[in-house]
Amino acid sequence: MLTIDAQRFMARHESLTKWGATGKGGVNRPALSADETGARRELLDWARKRDFVCCVDPIGNLFVRRQGSSANALPIRMGSHLDSQMPGGNYDGVYGVLAAFEVLETLEDNAFAVDAPLELVIWNNEEGCRFPPTTMGSAVHGGSLSLDRALSAVDREGINVGQALERSLPALGSLTPVDLGSPCSGYIEAHIEQGPVLEALGLSVGVVSGIQGIAQFVFEVEGEEAHAGTTPRDKRKDALREAINLVEELASAIEHDDDVRFTVGKFEVAPGAINTIPAKVVFTLDLRHPNSEELARLIQVVLAMCSSPRRICGVLCRQVLNSPPVQFDAAVTAVIADSCAKAGIETMTLPSGATHDAKHMAELCPSGMIFIPCRDGISHSDREHASAPDMIQGANILLASIIRLAELKSVGASDQKHERV
Ligand SMILES: [Zn+2]
């Protein structure tokens, strides 16, 4: 069985940790920053040394292509992202990019002929922390977000994605332009789990069944600014008290099963003086559930609760994201599970709690994901860590799965019954 060059793979991983290193074990590498551009450039330099073709689409997704032996075969893709949270860890995203690149290099080392071109995709702005929304590059590529809207998203300094791309792309060297949504026949993304399940069970690889749905809301609670000492209780319109009550009521109405994920991650109080009744509170809600009907019902609960006549303050609620759950392709997940079985690796099937670029690829082609465990389930942190044996194991499963997908596509080319793998 073909296996990756584990030493090279780990050395490449070590090399990319310098881009945006925090000094505490993590990285601060937001999308299109100088550090992320540096990491992208280093990877493209490795790719050019292997004579892989390097391409870019209009939203800044990069494609590293190993040509196939058939002129007509559609590409099979793998990938993830090199941007991080601010700060984030050295595994989220970069692991999947390097595992995919290692697959291309291993096949090249062994002169392993595959009909289909194989492509590593480095998605632009997966994290969405500098430029919202999250998974921007893959959403534009997949067609669920317009290019114009994405290019006009601004960061805290007022720089938009279009301007940031103009600064970043020239530093990447010569790239062949490709269209958005270019066809492909399959996609697999390797990623750290970002949860505790695999580690708790002592498993080194998981097969991902799908991605839970997300609804995100921004609430604006409007009260009335007044003196903290002189305003009697019945005259107070305290936006903070109203917001706290609302969060409590939402949580008790919504958090009724173990699959619900309810997070108020941002809470801003104005004017923010010790002796003034708060006049305005803005807070966010991130709500997730793997079942689409249940998520739709919970969204209605949120909206109904905000318009309740019992409120003393005005409450404006805007839903800013509606991302239904995604089920990955049964044949692709079977290929991954089969690759584990053939390698004698015990595995399990689990849903993803975090969103990923694979969600948008699932709209375009049969897609799936491979998870490896991360320590204590922690991600988006300097403390994020995955072990070398797990990283290597996951990359080997990606290699075996991609080879199997490519074989199935070759069968499919001569047998129309197998058009979809
Ligand atoms: Zn990620």
Side-chain angles (χ1 to χ4, degrees):
M1 198 177 78
L2 204 56
T3 54
I4 63 157
D5 181 334
Q7 207 178 353
R8 174 178 60 199
F9 175 53
M10 295 311 297
R12 295 229 187 279
H13 180 257
E14 180 61 31
S15 186
L16 289 191
T17 61
K18 64 179 172 284
W19 298 106
T22 60
K24 294 185 226 160
V27 286
N28 191 340
R29 202 162 59 209
L32 303 176
S33 61
D35 281 313
E36 197 226 14
T37 301
R40 289 177 137 211
R41 174 68 199 231
E42 185 167 353
L43 196 133
L44 290 174
D45 286 345
W46 296 333
R48 288 177 178 123
K49 281 193 189 131
R50 303 299 312 235
D51 287 331
F52 296 146
V53 184
C54 299
C55 309
V56 64
D57 74 7
I59 191 60
N61 299 315
L62 303 176
F63 298 78
V64 173
R65 169 186 283 234
R66 177 181 186 253
Q67 298 292 13
S69 46
S70 161
N72 303 321
L74 287 175
I76 296 171
R77 295 195 174 125
M78 321 162 261
S80 201
H81 56 98
L82 289 175
D83 65 321
S84 80
Q85 288 282 325
M86 306 185 284
N90 268 313
Y91 303 86
D92 178 353
V94 61
Y95 170 66
V97 168
L98 288 173
F101 188 65
E102 183 56 43
V103 168
L104 298 185
E105 290 207 280
T106 301
L107 295 173
E108 196 65 11
D109 292 343
N110 291 277
F112 193 100
V114 177
D115 278 357
L118 300 179
E119 290 182 350
L120 152 65
V121 193
I122 305 167
W123 299 109
N124 185 21
N125 189 28
E126 191 275 346
E127 297 291 358
C129 53
R130 180 181 176 195
F131 303 103
T134 181
T135 64
M136 177 184 278
S138 52
V140 172
H141 188 80
S144 64
L145 177 67
S146 82
L147 177 62
D148 286 349
R149 222 183 114 198
L151 290 175
S152 60
V154 289
D155 68 7
R156 285 176 192 169
E157 272 79 53
I159 299 165
N160 68 34
V161 170
Q163 292 163 331
L165 273 172
E166 275 171 32
R167 288 179 200 177
S168 170
L169 289 181
L172 299 181
S174 166
L175 293 163
T176 307
V178 291
D179 293 336
L180 291 169
S182 52
C184 63
S185 65
Y187 175 79
I188 300 181
E189 179 164 353
H191 206 280
I192 57 167
E193 181 200 337
Q194 301 180 270
V197 178
L198 294 174
E199 184 185 45
L201 295 172
L203 300 175
S204 59
V205 176
V207 184
V208 186
S209 55
I211 295 178
Q212 66 180 344
I214 314 174
Q216 289 178 337
F217 304 85
V218 175
F219 296 81
E220 291 180 37
V221 182
E222 292 275 0
E224 224 168 74
E225 201 170 309
H227 195 287
T230 60
T231 316
R233 214 163 137 186
D234 64 342
K235 294 277 189 289
R236 296 165 85 101
K237 289 193 174 175
D238 185 330
L240 179 58
R241 297 285 291 271
E242 182 77 285
I244 290 169
N245 288 341
L246 184 54
V247 170
E248 287 295 332
E249 287 169 33
L250 285 166
S252 61
I254 283 169
E255 280 187 305
H256 59 84
D257 79 53
D258 285 344
D259 288 334
V260 174
R261 297 287 180 269
F262 177 100
T263 306
V264 174
K266 187 174 165 187
F267 212 90
E268 293 170 349
V269 183
I274 194 166
N275 57 354
T276 302
I277 296 169
K280 184 162 183 174
V281 170
V282 176
F283 69 93
T284 57
L285 170 61
D286 178 296
L287 179 61
R288 304 187 188 211
H289 202 282
N291 180 287
S292 54
E293 288 82 33
E294 182 58 10
L295 184 62
R297 192 187 72 74
L298 295 176
I299 290 169
Q300 291 312 311
V301 171
V302 172
L303 298 175
M305 209 162 265
C306 294
S307 54
S308 162
R310 289 187 294 114
R311 309 255 156 249
I312 16 171
C313 298
V315 177
L316 184 73
C317 170
R318 282 181 294 127
Q319 187 175 351
V320 292
L321 179 71
N322 185 14
S323 173
V326 167
Q327 276 303 115
F328 286 136
D329 184 81
V332 174
T333 49
V335 161
I336 299 168
D338 196 44
S339 300
C340 292
K342 286 208 172 83
I345 297 169
E346 194 190 342
T347 187
M348 69 176 294
T349 301
L350 73 170
S352 174
T355 197
H356 295 287
D357 295 304
K359 175 179 77 178
H360 300 293
M361 286 307 283
E363 305 283 320
L364 286 182
C365 66
S367 298
M369 286 188 79
I370 296 166
F371 272 170
I372 62 163
C374 54
R375 190 164 61 203
D376 299 329
I378 288 174
S379 64
H380 291 184
S381 158
D382 284 325
R383 293 177 56 215
E384 187 179 292
H385 179 78
S387 77
D390 291 339
M391 290 170 70
I392 293 160
Q393 193 91 282
N396 275 322
I397 294 302
L398 179 65
L399 172 65
S401 302
I402 288 292
I403 291 173
R404 182 73 186 130
L405 269 192
E407 286 168 357
L408 287 174
K409 284 313 295 178
S410 301
V411 172
S414 57
D415 176 358
Q416 292 307 308
K417 279 182 291 188
H418 293 93
E419 202 174 348
R420 283 171 71 88
V421 293

PDB file of all heavy atoms in Angstrom, residues 311-323:
ATOM      1  N   ARG A 311     -41.874  42.973  26.275  1.00  0.00           N
ATOM      2  CA  ARG A 311     -40.579  43.655  26.397  1.00  0.00           C
ATOM      3  C   ARG A 311     -40.743  45.139  26.762  1.00  0.00           C
ATOM      4  O   ARG A 311     -41.581  45.821  26.189  1.00  0.00           O
ATOM      5  CB  ARG A 311     -39.811  43.578  25.076  1.00  0.00           C
ATOM      6  CG  ARG A 311     -39.702  42.203  24.501  1.00  0.00           C
ATOM      7  CD  ARG A 311     -38.312  41.606  24.689  1.00  0.00           C
ATOM      8  NE  ARG A 311     -38.390  40.157  24.656  1.00  0.00           N
ATOM      9  CZ  ARG A 311     -38.181  39.378  25.727  1.00  0.00           C
ATOM     10  NH1 ARG A 311     -37.837  39.900  26.873  1.00  0.00           N
ATOM     11  NH2 ARG A 311     -38.307  38.077  25.635  1.00  0.00           N
ATOM     12  N   ILE A 312     -39.891  45.611  27.681  1.00  0.00           N
ATOM     13  CA  ILE A 312     -39.937  47.048  28.000  1.00  0.00           C
ATOM     14  C   ILE A 312     -39.031  47.849  27.058  1.00  0.00           C
ATOM     15  O   ILE A 312     -39.213  49.039  26.885  1.00  0.00           O
ATOM     16  CB  ILE A 312     -39.514  47.378  29.462  1.00  0.00           C
ATOM     17  CG1 ILE A 312     -38.776  46.231  30.118  1.00  0.00           C
ATOM     18  CG2 ILE A 312     -40.650  47.895  30.299  1.00  0.00           C
ATOM     19  CD1 ILE A 312     -38.180  46.596  31.447  1.00  0.00           C
ATOM     20  N   CYS A 313     -38.067  47.203  26.486  1.00  0.00           N
ATOM     21  CA  CYS A 313     -37.182  47.869  25.524  1.00  0.00           C
ATOM     22  C   CYS A 313     -37.498  47.353  24.127  1.00  0.00           C
ATOM     23  O   CYS A 313     -38.035  46.259  23.969  1.00  0.00           O
ATOM     24  CB  CYS A 313     -35.726  47.562  25.847  1.00  0.00           C
ATOM     25  SG  CYS A 313     -35.208  48.159  27.458  1.00  0.00           S
ATOM     26  N   GLY A 314     -37.117  48.140  23.135  1.00  0.00           N
ATOM     27  CA  GLY A 314     -37.281  47.690  21.756  1.00  0.00           C
ATOM     28  C   GLY A 314     -36.227  46.627  21.445  1.00  0.00           C
ATOM     29  O   GLY A 314     -35.063  46.769  21.826  1.00  0.00           O
ATOM     30  N   VAL A 315     -36.643  45.542  20.787  1.00  0.00           N
ATOM     31  CA  VAL A 315     -35.684  44.501  20.411  1.00  0.00           C
ATOM     32  C   VAL A 315     -35.765  44.289  18.903  1.00  0.00           C
ATOM     33  O   VAL A 315     -36.822  43.975  18.369  1.00  0.00           O
ATOM     34  CB  VAL A 315     -35.979  43.169  21.132  1.00  0.00           C
ATOM     35  CG1 VAL A 315     -34.998  42.095  20.665  1.00  0.00           C
ATOM     36  CG2 VAL A 315     -35.897  43.328  22.638  1.00  0.00           C
ATOM     37  N   LEU A 316     -34.626  44.520  18.263  1.00  0.00           N
ATOM     38  CA  LEU A 316     -34.540  44.265  16.825  1.00  0.00           C
ATOM     39  C   LEU A 316     -33.653  43.034  16.650  1.00  0.00           C
ATOM     40  O   LEU A 316     -32.555  42.973  17.205  1.00  0.00           O
ATOM     41  CB  LEU A 316     -33.898  45.474  16.138  1.00  0.00           C
ATOM     42  CG  LEU A 316     -33.813  45.410  14.631  1.00  0.00           C
ATOM     43  CD1 LEU A 316     -35.195  45.605  14.020  1.00  0.00           C
ATOM     44  CD2 LEU A 316     -32.865  46.492  14.118  1.00  0.00           C
ATOM     45  N   CYS A 317     -34.170  42.046  15.905  1.00  0.00           N
ATOM     46  CA  CYS A 317     -33.398  40.809  15.712  1.00  0.00           C
ATOM     47  C   CYS A 317     -33.205  40.587  14.217  1.00  0.00           C
ATOM     48  O   CYS A 317     -34.170  40.553  13.456  1.00  0.00           O
ATOM     49  CB  CYS A 317     -34.171  39.655  16.334  1.00  0.00           C
ATOM     50  SG  CYS A 317     -33.480  38.066  15.925  1.00  0.00           S
ATOM     51  N   ARG A 318     -31.956  40.466  13.814  1.00  0.00           N
ATOM     52  CA  ARG A 318     -31.664  40.193  12.393  1.00  0.00           C
ATOM     53  C   ARG A 318     -30.985  38.844  12.299  1.00  0.00           C
ATOM     54  O   ARG A 318     -30.001  38.587  13.010  1.00  0.00           O
ATOM     55  CB  ARG A 318     -30.698  41.241  11.825  1.00  0.00           C
ATOM     56  CG  ARG A 318     -31.336  42.564  11.484  1.00  0.00           C
ATOM     57  CD  ARG A 318     -30.302  43.522  10.918  1.00  0.00           C
ATOM     58  NE  ARG A 318     -29.289  43.895  11.898  1.00  0.00           N
ATOM     59  CZ  ARG A 318     -27.981  43.795  11.715  1.00  0.00           C
ATOM     60  NH1 ARG A 318     -27.490  43.308  10.582  1.00  0.00           N
ATOM     61  NH2 ARG A 318     -27.134  44.160  12.659  1.00  0.00           N
ATOM     62  N   GLN A 319     -31.500  37.984  11.425  1.00  0.00           N
ATOM     63  CA  GLN A 319     -30.799  36.722  11.181  1.00  0.00           C
ATOM     64  C   GLN A 319     -29.747  36.988  10.111  1.00  0.00           C
ATOM     65  O   GLN A 319     -30.076  37.383   8.993  1.00  0.00           O
ATOM     66  CB  GLN A 319     -31.768  35.622  10.728  1.00  0.00           C
ATOM     67  CG  GLN A 319     -31.060  34.292  10.658  1.00  0.00           C
ATOM     68  CD  GLN A 319     -31.960  33.115  10.329  1.00  0.00           C
ATOM     69  OE1 GLN A 319     -33.177  33.236  10.304  1.00  0.00           O
ATOM     70  NE2 GLN A 319     -31.346  31.991  10.058  1.00  0.00           N
ATOM     71  N   VAL A 320     -28.478  36.797  10.445  1.00  0.00           N
ATOM     72  CA  VAL A 320     -27.403  37.141   9.510  1.00  0.00           C
ATOM     73  C   VAL A 320     -26.811  35.920   8.811  1.00  0.00           C
ATOM     74  O   VAL A 320     -26.042  36.058   7.868  1.00  0.00           O
ATOM     75  CB  VAL A 320     -26.283  37.945  10.213  1.00  0.00           C
ATOM     76  CG1 VAL A 320     -26.780  39.310  10.614  1.00  0.00           C
ATOM     77  CG2 VAL A 320     -25.738  37.195  11.430  1.00  0.00           C
ATOM     78  N   LEU A 321     -27.158  34.732   9.284  1.00  0.00           N
ATOM     79  CA  LEU A 321     -26.682  33.523   8.600  1.00  0.00           C
ATOM     80  C   LEU A 321     -27.715  32.418   8.750  1.00  0.00           C
ATOM     81  O   LEU A 321     -28.248  32.206   9.837  1.00  0.00           O
ATOM     82  CB  LEU A 321     -25.345  33.050   9.200  1.00  0.00           C
ATOM     83  CG  LEU A 321     -24.758  31.780   8.572  1.00  0.00           C
ATOM     84  CD1 LEU A 321     -24.235  32.041   7.166  1.00  0.00           C
ATOM     85  CD2 LEU A 321     -23.637  31.205   9.432  1.00  0.00           C
ATOM     86  N   ASN A 322     -28.011  31.761   7.644  1.00  0.00           N
ATOM     87  CA  ASN A 322     -28.876  30.586   7.680  1.00  0.00           C
ATOM     88  C   ASN A 322     -28.222  29.508   6.836  1.00  0.00           C
ATOM     89  O   ASN A 322     -28.252  29.554   5.616  1.00  0.00           O
ATOM     90  CB  ASN A 322     -30.273  30.929   7.129  1.00  0.00           C
ATOM     91  CG  ASN A 322     -31.217  29.745   7.276  1.00  0.00           C
ATOM     92  OD1 ASN A 322     -30.911  28.798   7.993  1.00  0.00           O
ATOM     93  ND2 ASN A 322     -32.337  29.793   6.590  1.00  0.00           N
ATOM     94  N   SER A 323     -27.572  28.575   7.507  1.00  0.00           N
ATOM     95  CA  SER A 323     -26.819  27.551   6.799  1.00  0.00           C
ATOM     96  C   SER A 323     -27.379  26.190   7.212  1.00  0.00           C
ATOM     97  O   SER A 323     -27.065  25.685   8.291  1.00  0.00           O
ATOM     98  CB  SER A 323     -25.342  27.694   7.185  1.00  0.00           C
ATOM     99  OG  SER A 323     -24.611  26.648   6.648  1.00  0.00           O
TER     100      SER A 323
END
